[in-house]
Amino acid sequence: MDRHAAFARGNPRAWRYRPDISPFAAARDSSIEAQSALAGLLPSDAPLVLLEAGSIAVPPGAIVEKQAVGVQMVAEALKPAPSGDRVVPLGDADAAEMLALATLTEPGPFLSNTHLFGGFIGIRIDGRLAAMAGERLKPPGHCEVSGVCTHPDFRGRGLAGLLSTIVANRIAARGEVPFLHAYASNTGAIRLYESLGFRIRCEVSVLALRRPSI
């Protein structure tokens, strides 16, 4: 959370990201104090998402809206990044298009200001944002490749693989370990990432929680 301190809400017992940036949250541990602090961060109008290896403790009073199994993958032997002549940086001016693309393709939680995590790049075809990828979670010494998606009109051209490889190589060039997440059921994405040099590190549990409406 250190590199994302400006995006944080909460206290040392439990943290969540600013609600316009990411729904991810975490408790320090499974103690009553930490779980109560996490419960206090739960909104009633949108879910918070917890992602952990192993089982996840559900804080008191929380409603489980969704649960799933995912995989965490780490870069083992990355393919070299291609030249990427068509690749353009994405930022504030592209935020509305990025949100629209992510809303259509559902690569994972993506909100109005998720692009502030940085490192996003894309490919435009005939003026349209055809594909994108960027960065998300940044624990010490690591950085997550995320937001990888391609508009249905432009799939089958290798755009997701191209952008993922470029983002991952940029992370590695900074001396950090690239990693990413995928749903365990998304075998196509897992095969793609394996072909780029990622390997499955572990399974992860995913819970979407909300506070009951009054």
Side-chain angles (χ1 to χ4, degrees):
M1 182 66 78
D2 288 350
R3 287 189 281 175
H4 287 167
F7 302 149
R9 299 291 183 269
N11 60 61
R13 290 177 176 171
W15 295 102
R16 68 154 297 167
Y17 281 102
R18 224 172 69 189
D20 60 322
I21 291 179
S22 175
F24 282 102
R28 180 186 63 194
D29 51 42
S30 58
S31 67
I32 294 175
E33 295 81 7
Q35 292 300 309
S36 295
L38 180 59
L41 297 175
L42 291 172
S44 59
D45 58 344
L48 279 187
V49 178
L50 310 184
L51 189 153
E52 299 178 23
S55 60
I56 301 177
V58 177
I63 295 175
V64 178
E65 186 172 277
K66 179 181 179 180
Q67 53 187 335
V69 177
V71 294
Q72 183 179 93
M73 306 181 72
V74 295
E76 189 171 63
L78 282 173
K79 292 178 64 173
S83 61
D85 294 338
R86 298 176 293 167
V87 175
V88 296
L90 301 176
D92 289 345
D94 310 289
E97 286 180 283
M98 296 169 72
L99 178 60
L101 179 59
T103 300
L104 174 66
T105 58
E106 299 183 332
F110 199 99
L111 305 173
S112 59
N113 280 315
T114 298
H115 68 281
L116 295 180
F117 281 141
F120 277 89
I121 55 176
I123 292 176
R124 292 186 176 279
I125 297 177
D126 297 329
R128 300 167 61 191
L129 184 59
M132 69 176 184
E135 301 177 5
R136 188 168 63 184
L137 304 181
K138 298 181 179 181
H142 297 71
C143 184
E144 182 186 19
V145 179
S146 187
V148 180
C149 54
T150 302
H151 192 284
D153 291 348
F154 303 106
R155 287 177 180 162
R157 307 187 189 189
L159 303 184
L162 169 65
L163 295 176
S164 298
T165 300
I166 293 173
V167 172
N169 274 275
R170 289 180 179 178
I171 293 169
R174 301 199 301 257
E176 299 174 327
V177 177
F179 72 102
L180 52 81
H181 294 97
Y183 285 114
S185 59
N186 193 349
T187 55
I190 292 172
R191 285 197 299 270
L192 168 65
Y193 295 133
E194 287 176 333
S195 74
L196 302 181
F198 287 83
R199 65 171 177 81
I200 294 176
R201 175 180 176 269
C202 65
E203 284 194 347
V204 294
S205 299
V206 183
L207 278 186
L209 305 174
R210 73 164 70 233
R211 178 165 46 88
S213 300
I214 297 176

